[in-house]
Amino acid sequence: MPAPTSHDVIIIGAGAAGMMCALTAGQRGRRVLLLDHLDRAGAKILISGGGRCNFTNVDGGLAERYLSANPHFARSALGRYRPADFIDLVDRHGIAWHEKTLGQLFCDGSARQIVAMLEEECAASGVETKLLTRISAISKPDERFRVETPGGSLAAPSLVIATGGPSIPKMGATGFAYDVARQFGLKVVEPRPALVPLTLGQDDRLFETLSGVSLDVVASLGKARFREAALFTHRGLSGPAILQISSYWRHGDTLSLDLLPGTDAAALLVAAKQARPRAEPRTILREHFPDRLADVLADRLGLSGPMLGHKDQALVAAGRRLNAWPFMPNGSEGFAKAEVTIGGVSTDGLDQRTLMAKKAPGLHFIGEAVDVTGWLGGYNFQWAWASGRAAGEAA
């Protein structure tokens, strides 16, 4: 049996976290092998941000913007590699970028620039990259990990798993990282789709007619509140506000949408009755909502006939509902449409400074594979950069 090809660090997964880890370890003089089963590196980066890559967020270093069973776990890595550090790297490569709403940073040009930058940095630090490489088995018979591939055995004392979660399976996403974690005695927090459109059941079928209608809302669930756009779809609800709140949603939860944020809808309706008693409620609502939505809301609220025909008490109740419209989704559009995965390799089994498994020295898990999930808007990329950097400095 031939001896395995030896390296200092083997990284499985050539996405955002894996490439950052590889170039960091390579800069330390480590012999790094970066593997991926796809035919190119950074595949998920290329489709992000509508092809322009929302590569970080100015608030990406705030640990409270990340969901995890241990909300403090991400603080160490995020504190040591900040959004400004990645921006410096982008600037050094002459990549033009701009800030959009809520601190989101995008390339002026294409996400391909970010992938090219990471590939150049990997090449400059001597990283060897092998694509179209499937892993058939991983073991640790001695001080080194052995990785079996169709091209032969590979070995290294440090192994980094950067294969993400099962979101967007058409991009080749799998639960590979969880299988490796369990093999080495680590727990896995139940993976769920996150940043995903939600579907509505029979009770809300009235809203199916609104497919394509968008409006500014405040989406709330428990203490989580997001003011952004919501979009009605033929299956339910989408748009940034919904994607954000979906990370907090569980089956059976009711979320609330303030359809007139910043406006006391009850006072608005009562005042409209006094000023224009013969006006139709849907006419009043059309001044604040898209016509199709105004008509559906008027029907759902039972507001027909002129305003003077409705008691103030009924208008107040209708207004309060407009400011806190309850929806109980019956599901989500699943991993196929989820931008990321919530849950993953439990942080309890990982060192927060190095992302190394406590039970398996030399084995690291980074990026989306770990139970750390950021808000929409560049946060998950910042976690990829920061966790990749942390493991690359230690592996």
Side-chain angles (χ1 to χ4, degrees), residues 51 61 68 73 79 89 120 165 167 180 188 194 214 216 240 272 285 309 342 362 379 388:
S68 173
F73 181 83
L89 179 60
E120 288 173 26
S167 61
V180 176
V188 175
S214 176
D216 181 41
L285 293 177
I342 197 166
Y379 292 92

Side-chain angles (χ1 to χ4, degrees), residues 21-181:
C21 182
L23 68 89
T24 302
Q27 288 166 355
R28 295 172 49 231
R30 308 284 277 163
R31 290 172 300 151
V32 181
L33 176 62
L34 178 63
L35 304 175
D36 202 287
H37 69 288
L38 297 178
D39 62 357
R40 75 155 306 156
K44 211 169 173 182
I45 299 174
L46 293 173
I47 66 166
S48 67
R52 287 194 169 177
C53 188
N54 179 191
F55 57 80
T56 192
N57 192 292
V58 294
D59 293 323
L62 300 176
E64 58 268 28
R65 303 270 171 103
Y66 296 81
L67 288 76
S68 173
N70 177 357
H72 303 293
F73 181 83
R75 201 176 300 277
S76 175
L78 292 170
R80 286 179 290 128
Y81 193 79
R82 299 178 179 275
D85 297 316
F86 193 78
I87 293 168
D88 285 345
L89 179 60
V90 170
D91 287 343
R92 287 203 306 274
H93 282 258
I95 299 172
W97 54 272
H98 59 280
E99 181 176 339
K100 293 181 75 172
T101 56
L102 303 173
Q104 302 169 18
L105 305 188
F106 288 79
C107 296
D108 285 359
S110 166
R112 289 192 297 272
Q113 295 172 284
I114 298 295
V115 175
M117 174 190 78
L118 295 169
E119 289 176 329
E120 288 173 26
E121 290 284 332
C122 283
S125 58
V127 173
E128 180 185 353
T129 301
K130 284 187 178 180
L131 303 173
L132 293 172
T133 300
R134 299 228 166 237
I135 311 301
S136 56
I138 294 174
S139 62
K140 193 181 184 188
D142 47 41
E143 294 303 304
R144 297 183 304 168
F145 291 90
R146 284 185 67 131
V147 177
E148 308 299 334
T149 76
S153 293
L154 308 166
S158 292
L159 177 64
V160 182
I161 306 299
T163 53
S167 61
I168 319 184
K170 69 180 181 182
M171 298 295 297
T174 69
F176 177 86
Y178 311 149
D179 295 336
V180 176

